[in-house]
């Protein structure tokens, strides 16, 4: 029995998120069913990030144990033809028997894609959140800097979430513009529920001049979800990569 | 009665192309129905390019006549909310009464998107053609140069097409690489049926070293469709813009 790690990419549009549940099809469920079929044994993956319904990934991580004789790095090529076109295993490799994708220190990078133009192109509608009013990208960049560091980020946590502590470390928040697209990149060692989507909603308010960049310091200090911006839609969010430290 | 010109963008995935027909919904049909509803008179658009099923557009052009009192440049904002999310009017303006989008000299720019990686990302699957084997972009660039000029392009015309002449002028063929994406840009003053998709299929064969770049000269001289590459899928093709000369 060996432990394998997969890097998994998916278009989340048609899934009820990562984690198996009763009221809709999930990425985890499709992976379990497909791996079990191809490897001819019952496979149960452990995911690194239980992304929400509609969120996409370039680099989520899953591990599983198997008796397969397929070489580790070939598993992706063996399994991909049996997966639906909106899920792909980008890489497969063997890891230590006790490697757990959530209990090892890691750094996650998320990207949030905003399409910022008065009339958005139809082919961008599935993978970005559309903001019609021109955003001040420089103000957003400045505001992002106040979010970096170890803080109590209660203001950026969905009210319904149940967690022991709302202290988290954000390593970097970058905002870049590429034509009509504005991309918010957030890197951190663990995130609260909906945190990247609320961070982006807050940066959009700064970009609209609803408040100045430095007001972000007060929002964080308030620990009040109501002070921050809205939770922007899932379809603009991509889990880019998970680096194990 | 005035004549108006629209720049129309669409995600062609869910349409049976531009032109109205009996066996599926088309862009033209949706525009006619929506414009008629919003402007409260019967509208019939004339399209510049009757794109095929599944082909996308950033800048197709349509004209129509109307008695509307909505200012020309506001028509797009009045109509867009009533269009499905995969069709958008990017611009509306008044033109001369006798302007016809197909009978005026124009230059069209198409882009064909190839996703060139061993395992393609799921979110690219709807808008690009996936080629797994690495392509030689420099060879494709060189081959493209042999396609520029006024030639009998019978070799790049779908066999079933009925046209008076297969002589056309191609102004430019450029191939650029952006990460895993290879974009073929073709500019010309009118194209034969499936021409850009066959040009791209031929460039892919060059990129795979099936034949050297200069063999394109012989393919063109042969006037034989069977000598050229395959017709690549519609989903990678974008009608970028139409410039009226």
């Amino acid at each position: 029995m060996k432990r394998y790690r997969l890097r998994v990419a998916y278009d989340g549009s048609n899934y009820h998120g990562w984690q198996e549940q009763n009221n809709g099809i999930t990425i985890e469920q499709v992976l379990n069913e497909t791996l079990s079929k191809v490897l001819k044994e019952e496979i149960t993956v452990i995911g690194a990030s239980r992304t929400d319904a509609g969120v996409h990934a370039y680099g989520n991580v899953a591990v599983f144990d198997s008796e397969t004789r397929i070489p580790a790095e070939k598993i992706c090529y063996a399994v991909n033809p049996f997966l639906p076109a909106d899920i792909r295993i980008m890489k497969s490799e063997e890891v230590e028997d006790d490697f757990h994708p959530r209990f090892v220190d890691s750094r996650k990078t998320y990207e949030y894609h905003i399409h910022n133009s008065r009339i958005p192109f139809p082919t961008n509608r599935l993978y970005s959140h559309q903001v019609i009013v021109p955003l001040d990208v420089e103000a957003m960049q400045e505001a992002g800097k106040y979010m970096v560091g170890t803080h109590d980020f209660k203001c950026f946590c969905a009210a319904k979430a149940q967690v022991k502590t709302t202290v988290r470390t954000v390593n970097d928040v970058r905002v870049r513009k590429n034509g009509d697209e504005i991309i918010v990149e957030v890197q951190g060692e663990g995130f609260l529920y909906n945190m990247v989507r609320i961070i982006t909603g807050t940066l959009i308010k700064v970009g609209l001049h609803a408040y100045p960049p430095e007001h972000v310091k007060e929002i964080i200090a308030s620990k009040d979800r109501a002070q921050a911006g809205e939770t922007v839609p899932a379809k603009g969010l991509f889990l880019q990569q998970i680096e194990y430290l």
Side-chain angles (χ1 to χ4, degrees), chain A:
Chain A
M1 189 78 103
K2 287 175 179 167
R3 180 155 283 198
Y4 298 94
R5 179 165 67 191
L6 308 176
R7 183 153 72 82
V8 188
Y10 44 86
D11 175 344
S13 309
N14 299 317
Y15 294 93
H16 281 64
W18 176 273
Q19 195 168 18
E20 251 181 296
Q21 48 161 269
N22 295 321
N23 63 338
I25 194 164
T26 67
I27 314 289
E28 188 178 40
Q29 181 188 340
V30 172
L31 282 175
N32 284 339
E33 288 171 6
T34 310
L35 286 163
S36 300
K37 190 171 88 175
V38 176
L39 304 180
K40 297 184 183 69
E41 59 185 307
E42 190 162 333
I43 301 290
T44 307
V45 300
I46 309 169
S49 183
R50 287 168 265 186
T51 54
D52 272 346
V55 173
H56 317 292
Y58 281 163
N60 205 344
V61 166
V63 306
F64 66 95
D65 297 320
S66 168
E67 306 276 9
T68 185
R69 289 155 80 182
I70 301 174
E73 63 284 2
K74 303 274 187 201
I75 291 175
C76 54
Y77 301 109
V79 178
N80 277 335
F82 297 93
L83 284 169
D86 49 10
I87 303 180
R88 278 292 171 271
I89 302 174
M90 305 305 290
K91 191 181 177 183
S92 51
E93 60 192 326
E94 197 183 328
V95 287
E96 296 294 311
D97 286 357
D98 60 351
F99 176 84
H100 189 293
R102 287 199 302 277
F103 303 152
V104 174
D105 284 346
S106 68
R107 190 169 292 178
K108 287 179 188 164
T109 305
Y110 282 92
E111 275 189 7
Y112 195 90
H113 291 230
I114 300 163
H115 191 80
N116 190 210
S117 82
R118 187 143 179 206
I119 306 172
F121 280 131
T123 52
N124 291 93
R125 76 192 190 288
L126 301 174
Y127 306 111
S128 62
H129 171 50
Q130 304 183 332
V131 177
I132 289 169
V133 179
L135 295 172
D136 179 342
V137 174
E138 279 182 42
M140 294 168 75
Q141 286 165 338
E142 194 189 331
K145 290 185 187 139
Y146 298 112
M147 297 171 177
V148 175
T150 303
H151 300 287
D152 185 338
F153 284 112
K154 191 154 189 276
C155 66
F156 295 147
C157 181
K160 63 176 174 175
Q162 302 277 332
V163 280
K164 273 182 236 161
T165 168
T166 46
V167 174
R168 291 289 184 280
T169 299
V170 169
N171 300 98
D172 209 354
V173 177
R174 284 185 213 192
V175 184
R176 62 182 196 270
K177 194 167 159 62
N178 180 11
D180 286 337
E181 192 161 57
I182 295 171
I183 297 164
V184 175
E185 185 187 308
V186 184
Q187 218 176 78
E189 297 164 18
F191 290 94
L192 299 163
Y193 190 55
N194 281 351
M195 185 164 163
V196 178
R197 290 162 61 186
I198 301 170
I199 282 177
T200 303
T202 306
L203 291 176
I204 287 173
K205 283 195 113 174
V206 172
L208 293 169
H209 297 150
Y211 34 69
E214 57 272 21
H215 181 63
V216 163
K217 286 190 280 189
E218 289 160 53
I219 295 173
I220 295 172
S222 76
K223 299 179 192 170
D224 178 6
R225 170 70 190 88
Q227 301 295 312
E230 62 160 342
T231 306
V232 287
K235 66 176 180 174
L237 187 62
F238 291 78
L239 171 54
Q240 291 291 116
Q241 75 167 340
I242 303 176
E243 293 166 277
Y244 288 98
L245 306 174

